Each structure stands twice: as C-alpha cells, then as structure tokens.
Amino acid sequence: MAFKKKKKTDPVYAFLENSPAVSVRDREGALNYLVSFVNLLRPKPSDTAEQTDQNFSTVIRLLYQFPSSLNALRTAMIAQLVNSNLVPMFTESGITVSRGVGRELYARLKHKFLPALQDHNDFLYLLDRIFYKKADYVWVESIPRERWIQFFELIKLPLSSNEPVIINQAMVSLQILGAGVAQLGWEKEIITNTNVKWMQAENPFETQQFLIYELRELMINEAPVEQIKSLSIRIREVLKEARQLVDGIRSSTNEKGTSLSQTFILFQIEQKLTRMELLLDIVDGDEHINTTRFVDLFHSVVRYENRKNSLREFLSQTTGYVAYQIAEHKGKKGGKYITSSPKEYWAMMVSAMFGGLIIVFVAILKTLLHHLPLAPFWQGFVYSVNYSVGFIAIEETKSTLATKQPAFTASAVASSLDTKKDEKPNLYNLAVTVSKVFRSQTASFIGNLIIVFPVTYIMAWLFDICFGHPLVGREEGIQMLQDQHPWQSLSLLYACNTGVFLFISGIIAGYVQNKMNYGKIERRLVEHPVLRLYFAPKRLQHIASYLNHHAGSLVGNISLGFFLGTAAIIGKIFGVPFDIRHITISAANTSLGLYGVGWESINGRFVLTVVIGVLFIGFLNFLVSFSL
C-alpha cells in the first residue's frame, strides 16, 4: 500500500483562508487576531531582507485573494483605534517630550530598570503587545515603504470624518502639539537666532496655535466642510513657514555655531511639526489621508516603542546636529587638504616638505629632552609642549603634516555624499573626491618623508661634528630602531593609538571652533570692559579676530601634542604597554637610530624591515583616523 506524501500548507495561506469573524466590540479578540497576524509577518532570524519583503508581498497578494480576511484585519484595527486613547501615540510616541537632554537621559535610564506603568486603554499598550519583540522595528523598517503604503491603502483605515472618535482625539492632539511648538518657539536659543523678518511679521510658531484653536471652534460648531478645508490649507502654509524658520536657524549655524540646547529644541520642534502635518490630514474634512505620512508615523511609533528606553538611540538623535557642525568645520578645513590640479598637487608637496622640516627639529629636541633628569610627569609635560609648539608652527606657517589630514579630509569625503532624505547619494562625486584625497594624501606623505629621513640624519651628523659626541648612542640607537620594528615591538598597535588621538584632536578642534562662533567670542572680547583698558581698540580687534579664526586649530594642536607627549608616561605609570607611533616622528627616530648605530654595524634586511614598519605606521595612522 502506497502512502501519499502530505502536502505542506503555507501557514500564512492557512491563517488567511480560515480567518475567524472579528467584531469591533470584541477588543480583546481583535487584539489577539492582530498579534497572530503580526507573528506570521515576523521573519525568522535566518531570513534575509529580500525574503522578508517577498513574504510580505505574498501576504498582500493573499489579502486580495481572501476578502473576508481583509475585512477581518480591517475590523481588528478599527476595534483598537475606536476603543483606545490615541492621544499619547499622537503627541508622545516618537517625540521627545522632556525639556532638557539631562532630564530625558535620566527618564530613560530610570525606565530601563523600572518600566513606566501603562494604561491598558492606551493605544501604545496595544502596540507593545502586538510588536512585543525589541527588534521588531528592524524588520518593519526593512520592508520597503512602497509595500507598507500598498498594505495600508488596501486596508483603508477610517482615519476621516466617518469616525468622530478618531477625529476628536486627533484634534486634541493637534492642540497639544501646537501649544508645544508655540512655547518652544519663544525659547531664548530660538529667538536670538531668528531672522528679524520673522520677528516683525507674524511668527509662524505663534500663528499656528491661534489657527488651530480657530479650527477647533469650526469643528465644534459643525461648520461647512469647505470652511474647514480652507482653514486647514492656511495652517499647512504656516507650518511650512515654521519649517523654513527652523531650516534658516540651522543654516545659520555654519557661521554662528550651535549648542546642544539649541539643537535639542530644534529637534523637538521638527518632530512636532511632522506629527501635526499628519493630524491635519485626519481632521481637514476630506476623505483622503497622506498614506506616506501615515507609514512614517507607523515606522517611528514602532521604533520608538521598541527603543523608548534606549540611551544610544536618544543620544544619536539629539547630538546628531551638533556632531554635524563639528564635522562641518572639519570638512571646510579639509577642503584645503584636497588638491584638484597639478599645480595644487606640487604646492601640497612643497607644503608637506616644510612641515617635515619642522618635525625634524621637534624630533631632535625631543631626543635632547629625553636626557634631562626629570620626573615622569614633567618629562611628559615637556614632551607635550614640544609637540604642541611644533604642530602650532606647522599650522601658522601653513605647512602640512600628513597624519593631520585624514581627520579633516574624511569629513570632506562625507560631505560629498550629502543628500536630502530619500535621495540617492552622488557616487560619482564621491569617487572624484576620494581620488583627489588619495592623490593629496600621497603628496603629503612623500613631502614629509623625503625631508624627515635625510635631514634628520644630516642634523645628527652636524651635531656630532659640533659637540664631539653623537646625539644618540649605540645602545639608544638600537632601541630606537627596534621601537619602529613591526614585530619586535608593538609599534603597529601604538600607530592605531595615534590614529585615535588624531581623530579626537580633530573633534576637539571642531568643537572649540563651533563654541567660538556660537558664543560670539570675538565681539565679547572686543567689548570686554577690562581688556579695553589695557589694549588699543585696533590691537584688541586683531587679537579677537585671530582667536575667532584660529582657536579651534590652536586647541586641537595643543590637545594632540599632549596626547602624544603623555601617552608613554601614562603607560609607565599604570604598567601597561601603551604608547604612540607617529609616522613622521618614527621616520626621524629611525634616522637618528641609524646614525647612532652606524651603517657598518647594521644588517640591511633589518633596516629594510624597519623602514617598511614605518610605512605601515603611517598607513595605520591614516586608516584609523580616517575611518573614525
């Protein structure tokens, strides 16, 4: 007797084919239906994004095939919408509500250990039950927006005048958000950076609130639909003006700088304006809702509920614009390190040669300072001052140091990809920028090294002639060479440390320059009551102008000098292998070591290995700094 193999039934197909009847009045039953439906949509851990998209497309196709299942799904969603409190979802979920960064961080940290109590009538409680896995937002966002738009347009949720319960809650939410925008619009950080034309005319932050209350009165008095539509159009125009004002403040931060407080407020205003535009779609009296905005709301709410206590998520969002301003300063500075023509290429090489010459004197002075009988702290301090003065000299003479480029050119490369939301990046522009950066970086490396290697050796020879003894003895020279050796020392690891320090010093430089601009330090110095007594007006203006344009670079160079100068001392204090390797300084030390040992006493293969190690040090300096 032959047995027929039982055909495997697709679980999604079976679920939709045998969907039970769902009632609007049975809220719990409808919720269980939605939980089961989302469980079918939720991909397996092994599923790729393409498989998740294909499975979702199959669900949409089957919903067309089974109208009863489509009706059951629609009814289950309506049951949650009309029987729940939607106001917290509209006004809080996905929107930062705390008035300060510290307060929001404290709230999230507190709720990580003891989650906030949720009202079971709150729609967000239902959402947490449906998307109960903390990583649900990942697969929800991996499905293309077009699929979600198709899905919700197929469901046809009654987010219109047919459901007065939803309309009333949307109107209340619109009032709450409008009041919040008006209040934030009068914060000091916004007023002081608002263009005069917005202050003289009707301020959109204030105007929108009055218009929303007017819209509420029309809806209470059951005014004609045409009148409600007309006022809704006017409110949209005012919200658009408010966005323009926010964009204007943001664009001015390139020159004026920004603060975390201002960034936080602008971020909140933008979030509220986006939500208000969706709510206007619901209350404006027509039967149409912008499905794209609704899908954006769906994405943001699911993500927020999954990540509402995530500290990383919050910091990433609110500090993004401050980080952008720092990177913007670095990107502008990075432009001077990118060559576009043969003339600029050779100019870069000459500039790097002058930078290499300064590093020669820094390396020789550091070797002399090493022989001073100083305590570890003071030895690290004098090393740091030596490095800082050298880096400042390179900056002031407009010379070039190869390793300082990546922290700035990386920002220039990133800005070549700057696009508006939902637009594809310009890969051709990226390719051109990367090729220019590579040529420029090569020119600066060559310029530094062709001076540092031979000139340091010549200076060591002249020192020997003038003072009758070598700058570096034989044993010290051997140690110097071994310190650069790629596997007889930890030089490559230390080169990565240097890359990190180069990156951090670039961030510090950008941060300080941003604070100089935002704090209007130049004008405050010029008008300082005490300084005006001791400096002539022109002299004081010159000092203030210099600091305004160079403070970031000065602080960045000093911080880099102290990072490099104290690294080895910190390693000794804590008894851990911690140090730095900087390509130009390593190249100079290699030359000093070679002179101290003598060519006749050294193995050629060993020298070649050390030279290759120095080149790898430079590569890791560049790679780590550029990547970060």
Side-chain angles (χ1 to χ4, degrees), residues 393-450:
I394 290 173
E395 185 74 31
E396 291 299 311
T397 57
K398 295 182 172 54
S399 304
T400 302
L401 188 62
T403 50
K404 289 191 68 179
Q405 287 180 241
F408 297 99
T409 54
S411 296
V413 171
S415 30
S416 72
L417 278 170
D418 275 356
T419 56
K420 294 182 179 179
K421 189 178 181 181
D422 302 326
E423 288 184 5
K424 291 183 179 180
N426 188 336
L427 297 180
Y428 175 78
N429 191 23
L430 172 66
V432 171
T433 305
V434 169
S435 65
K436 290 179 180 178
V437 168
F438 180 78
R439 288 198 301 267
S440 307
Q441 191 71 59
T442 302
S444 58
F445 268 126
I446 293 173
N448 283 163
L449 296 181
I450 62 175

Side-chain angles (χ1 to χ4, degrees), residues 136-196:
D136 274 340
Y137 74 96
V138 176
W139 67 263
V140 167
E141 293 178 352
S142 70
I143 295 172
R145 180 186 292 179
E146 295 75 22
R147 297 281 186 275
W148 284 114
I149 292 173
Q150 184 182 1
F151 174 76
F152 284 112
E153 286 181 345
L154 177 62
I155 297 296
K156 292 186 173 130
L157 293 175
L159 298 173
S160 64
S161 55
N162 294 330
E163 287 293 347
V165 174
I166 298 176
I167 298 299
N168 290 337
Q169 295 197 62
M171 190 66 235
V172 171
S173 302
L174 195 59
Q175 290 176 248
I176 293 172
L177 292 171
V181 168
Q183 186 176 8
L184 290 171
W186 289 112
E187 292 286 341
K188 179 183 176 182
E189 289 84 351
I190 304 301
I191 295 174
T192 54
N193 290 281
T194 300
N195 196 298
V196 178

Side-chain angles (χ1 to χ4, degrees), residues 95-108 176 179-191 259-269 271-272 314 318:
I95 298 178
T96 304
V97 294
S98 293
R99 295 301 309 279
V101 180
R103 192 177 300 177
E104 180 71 13
L105 281 172
Y106 172 72
R108 293 199 178 207
I176 293 172
V181 168
Q183 186 176 8
L184 290 171
W186 289 112
E187 292 286 341
K188 179 183 176 182
E189 289 84 351
I190 304 301
I191 295 174
S259 68
L260 192 59
S261 176
Q262 184 195 68
T263 300
F264 192 70
I265 293 173
L266 290 175
F267 181 65
Q268 286 181 295
I269 292 175
Q271 285 180 318
K272 293 178 189 294
F314 172 70
T318 54

